[in-house]
């Protein structure tokens, strides 16, 4: 007859030789990834123990031993001598079990007036907050790199595109400053997210709060939070802060990806607007002439991972009843993956932007192609000849058709031919048909005129200086 153990072996399959317990352990344990939270876990426990002693919930002696034990564990983990155990499920129980080995029964007093539910909410918030501060600083470096390049190219002309067709000439500085606006918004989302998550969960306990006379304001302050959370049920069931981190990361990654795509296009021999430095490109193993924009391509691709991470956690959270459910343990890997990916993308893009070799001549040549100053001709007819814009648009269309037929630029059409299209055209029109004049004339607020671009750069420099102090709680 088969023993019960053997029966279970057969049911669960060969991989789990020791029966259903091993399967449970494998699905239940999070230590494989949540050991990343060790520093936050120990910091949280130190603050909690200090508060328990201050309020008389545990003795000063016990607190001293607990603190000493926790600090020993911290250095064991940091020097690599700590043994993590899957049987102990997660970082919280791994630390607590080791604490008991080190200091004996007093270790059991640390978990008074708390639960793993508020403990994990605390650890994870602390981690996400620190990551947001890293992203804030990385965005600051990226913005500085952009503003410097934009200043250099405030008057360098390039074609502006819509539908990826030449539309109107713009300056390269103006185009770069478009990304400054985008990454500036990303940075303000980071700061908003920090502001909103800046509340301490510890003391919410399992979900209902605790009967012990805890001081949640004390722990909040000790851990650098603005204040404690206000509703214990919400506190242990909320992962908005993780979702916000993922959604702002996804938006930022999408911005990085659009820029990466432009770099890929600009660096083709067909465009030739920019050349990537050797440090951010690779050669081909078979085609000696090639220089591939790998870093840009990988930035474009890694956006997929981050978008996936966001969808993964949104899907975990949807339909969860209040308060804590074990589903929420699945929050961490998505956030860790997105964080690692975004940090790398931001660093690579900052390096690439700083290194980019810009071919001003190629941009200038392209800026004049494709009748890019046609709108300037139409505007001139409105301004100087008093035509309604629709009529001017029509006349300009005829001029473009003629230039196309002659295979020349608008500025090369003889005056008689232009006058045959509209008799009020004078040779003053040629001044607006050049790319440089077209660009210089767009002085509306936020427009592409070098004077306006420089004004925006000045304003951004001030703003970056003001924002240079790290994002933190106010
Ligand atoms: N490892 C768990 C997590 O990441 C910690 C919280 C466990 N709480 C519980 N009631 N089982 O969510």
């Amino acid at each position: 007859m088969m023993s019960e153990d053997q029966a279970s072996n057969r049911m669960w399959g060969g991989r789990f030789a020791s029966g259903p317990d091993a399967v449970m352990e494998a699905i239940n344990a999070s230590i494989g990834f949540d050991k990343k939270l060790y520093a936050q876990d120990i910091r949280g426990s130190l603050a909690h123990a200090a508060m328990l002693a201050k309020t008389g919930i545990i003795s000063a002696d016990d607190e001293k031993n607990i603190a000493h034990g926790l600090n020993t564990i911290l250095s064991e983990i940091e020097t690599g001598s700590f043994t993590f155990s899957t049987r102990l499920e997660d970082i919280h129980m791994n630390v607590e079990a080791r604490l008991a080995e080190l200091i004996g029964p007093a270790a059991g007093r640390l978990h008074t007036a708390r639960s793993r539910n508020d403990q994990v909410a605390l650890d994870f918030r602390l981690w996400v907050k620190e990551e947001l501060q890293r992203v804030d600083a990385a965005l600051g470096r990226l913005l500085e790199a952009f503003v410097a390049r934009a200043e250099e190219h405030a008057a360098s002309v390039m074609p502006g595109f819509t539908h990826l067709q030449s539309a109107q000439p713009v300056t390269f500085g103006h185009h770069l400053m478009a990304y400054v606006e985008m990454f500036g918004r990303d940075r303000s989302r980071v700061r908003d997210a920090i502001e909103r998550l800046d509340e301490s969960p510890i003391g919410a306990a399992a979900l209902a709060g605790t009967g012990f006379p805890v001081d949640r304001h004390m722990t909040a302050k000790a851990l650098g939070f603005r204040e404690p959370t206000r509703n214990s049920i919400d506190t242990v069931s909320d992962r908005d802060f993780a979702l916000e981190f993922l959604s702002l990361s996804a938006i930022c990654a999408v911005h990085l990806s659009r820029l990466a795509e432009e770099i890929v296009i600009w660096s083709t021999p067909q465009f030739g607007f920019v050349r990537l430095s050797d440090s951010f490109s690779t050669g081909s193993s078979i085609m000696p002439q090639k220089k591939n924009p790998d870093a840009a391509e990988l930035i474009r691709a890694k956006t997929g991972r981050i978008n996936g991470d966001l969808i993964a956690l949104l899907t975990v959270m949807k339909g969860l009843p209040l308060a804590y459910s074990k589903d929420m343990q699945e929050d961490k890997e998505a956030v860790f993956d997105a964080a690692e990916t975004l940090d790398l993308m931001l660093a690579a893009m900052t390096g690439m932007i700083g290194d980019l070799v810009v071919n001003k001549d190629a941009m200038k040549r392209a800026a004049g192609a494709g009748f890019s100053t046609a709108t300037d001709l139409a505007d001139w007819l409105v301004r100087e000849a008093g035509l309604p814009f629709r009529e001017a648009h029509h006349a300009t269309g005829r001029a473009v058709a003629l230039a196309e037929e002659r295979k020349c630029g608008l500025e090369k059409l003889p005056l008689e031919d232009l006058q045959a299209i509209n008799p009020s055209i004078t040779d003053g029109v040629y001044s607006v048909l050049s790319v440089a004049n077209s660009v210089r004339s767009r002085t509306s607020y936020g427009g592409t005129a070098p004077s306006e671009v420089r004004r925006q750069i000045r304003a951004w420099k001030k703003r970056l200086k003001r924002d240079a102090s790290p994002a933190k709680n106010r």
Side-chain angles (χ1 to χ4, degrees):
M1 246 190 77
M2 220 184 277
S3 77
E4 236 177 285
D5 242 31
Q6 284 168 313
S8 52
N9 275 351
R10 203 183 50 188
M11 270 180 73
W12 295 109
R15 205 171 149 239
F16 299 98
S18 49
D21 287 356
V23 178
M24 181 54 194
E25 198 174 291
I27 196 169
N28 201 36
S30 53
I31 189 64
F33 47 87
D34 70 12
K35 60 174 158 214
K36 221 184 170 87
L37 299 175
Y38 75 89
Q40 291 76 14
D41 194 71
I42 291 172
R43 235 181 105 200
S45 289
L46 285 168
H48 181 65
M51 181 279 292
L52 291 177
K54 174 88 188 303
T55 51
I57 300 169
I58 65 172
S59 72
D61 252 14
D62 283 342
E63 195 248 329
K64 228 180 93 199
N65 287 332
I66 288 170
H68 182 74
L70 287 170
N71 283 316
T72 305
I73 295 170
L74 183 64
S75 66
E76 285 178 353
I77 295 177
E78 272 167 359
T79 56
S81 66
F82 190 94
T83 325
F84 291 102
S85 149
T86 318
R87 201 178 34 79
L88 291 168
E89 216 180 302
D90 56 24
I91 185 64
H92 324 297
M93 305 224 282
N94 270 267
V95 170
E96 200 182 314
R98 178 67 184 141
L99 188 64
E101 280 173 14
L102 287 171
I103 69 166
R109 299 195 189 278
L110 172 61
H111 213 53
T112 315
R114 83 172 178 187
S115 143
R116 273 190 296 157
N117 296 352
D118 59 342
Q119 193 179 353
V120 73
L122 169 65
D123 296 1
F124 202 30
R125 260 186 207 243
L126 283 172
W127 195 92
V128 171
K129 186 176 169 186
E130 285 164 26
E131 171 60 17
L132 284 167
Q133 284 162 343
R134 279 191 288 274
V135 173
D136 181 76
L139 279 169
R141 288 189 291 274
L142 181 62
L143 287 163
E144 301 272 1
F146 263 101
V147 169
R149 296 313 303 259
E151 192 163 33
E152 207 179 306
H153 291 287
S156 313
V157 291
M158 71 178 283
F161 300 93
T162 60
H163 312 264
L164 197 55
Q165 308 282 330
S166 288
Q168 293 173 345
V170 296
T171 73
F172 189 49
H174 192 212
H175 195 103
L176 292 178
M177 290 304 287
Y179 282 101
V180 167
E181 295 291 333
M182 291 150 82
F183 293 121
R185 286 194 295 275
D186 290 335
R187 196 180 199 191
S188 74
R189 268 184 282 274
V190 169
R191 293 186 172 207
D192 287 352
I194 292 175
E195 195 67 21
R196 252 187 304 282
L197 74 61
D198 209 10
E199 298 174 351
S200 172
I202 195 73
L207 84 163
T210 172
F212 290 100
V214 294
D215 184 349
R216 295 193 58 212
H217 292 274
M218 179 182 166
T219 37
K221 192 157 175 241
L223 293 165
F225 288 108
R226 189 183 54 234
E227 59 190 327
T229 55
R230 287 163 303 280
N231 181 303
S232 59
I233 298 174
D234 173 54
T235 301
V236 297
S237 78
D238 165 44
R239 289 295 181 272
D240 288 6
F241 61 93
L243 289 171
E244 276 200 73
F245 169 71
L246 290 171
S247 56
L248 70 84
S249 297
I251 296 173
C252 181
V254 165
H255 289 159
L256 287 165
S257 177
R258 294 180 72 173
L259 173 58
E261 168 67 0
E262 297 209 296
I263 291 173
V264 169
I265 294 172
W266 293 341
S267 63
T268 56
Q270 288 75 9
F271 268 75
F273 288 3
V274 301
R275 208 156 39 77
L276 293 168
S277 71
D278 289 347
S279 15
F280 288 100
S281 48
T282 62
S284 157
S285 54
I286 174 167
M287 296 163 283
Q289 84 283 12
K290 290 200 74 182
K291 196 162 179 189
N292 298 326
D294 296 43
E297 293 169 285
L298 286 165
I299 287 171
R300 191 172 58 182
K302 281 179 189 295
T303 303
R305 297 175 70 111
I306 297 184
N307 292 353
D309 291 328
L310 169 62
I311 298 300
L313 188 56
L314 283 170
T315 310
V316 166
M317 295 308 293
K318 81 164 274 298
L320 279 192
L322 306 187
Y324 177 87
S325 297
K326 195 60 175 267
D327 308 52
M328 290 160 72
Q329 179 166 286
E330 290 286 312
D331 56 1
K332 292 167 202 68
E333 283 165 295
V335 166
F336 293 156
D337 179 65
E340 194 179 313
T341 307
L342 186 65
D343 292 350
L344 192 54
M345 288 164 76
L346 285 168
M349 187 55 93
T350 305
M352 237 182 329
I353 289 301
D355 271 17
L356 218 55
V357 180
V358 179
N359 187 340
K360 286 194 341 186
D361 290 337
M363 283 189 177
K364 194 171 170 184
R365 245 175 285 127
F371 313 107
S372 64
T373 56
T375 317
D376 298 274
L377 173 54
D379 287 350
W380 186 91
L381 287 165
V382 170
R383 216 171 39 236
E384 307 294 329
L387 262 59
F389 183 76
R390 281 294 155 217
E391 224 171 281
H393 185 283
H394 186 77
T396 304
R398 287 178 56 201
V400 168
L402 187 64
E404 210 163 21
E405 198 185 298
R406 302 255 174 95
K407 299 192 182 357
C408 70
L410 283 173
E411 72 286 359
K412 293 279 152 56
L413 288 175
L415 187 58
E416 315 86 79
D417 290 328
L418 287 173
Q419 284 171 336
I421 291 169
N422 190 297
S424 52
I425 296 180
T426 67
D427 72 348
V429 79
Y430 291 101
S431 71
V432 302
L433 295 181
S434 84
V435 165
N437 285 340
S438 161
V439 156
R440 214 173 301 139
S441 72
R442 306 230 186 274
T443 51
S444 57
Y445 185 85
T448 203
S451 58
E452 184 58 22
V453 171
R454 288 201 179 93
R455 200 157 68 82
Q456 298 297 348
I457 290 173
R458 279 196 300 277
W460 265 101
K461 279 178 149 176
K462 268 193 211 139
R463 180 166 158 187
L464 288 178
K465 201 176 271 170
R466 200 178 61 225
D467 288 351
S469 56
K472 56 169 195 298
N473 20 322
R474 258 151 275 172

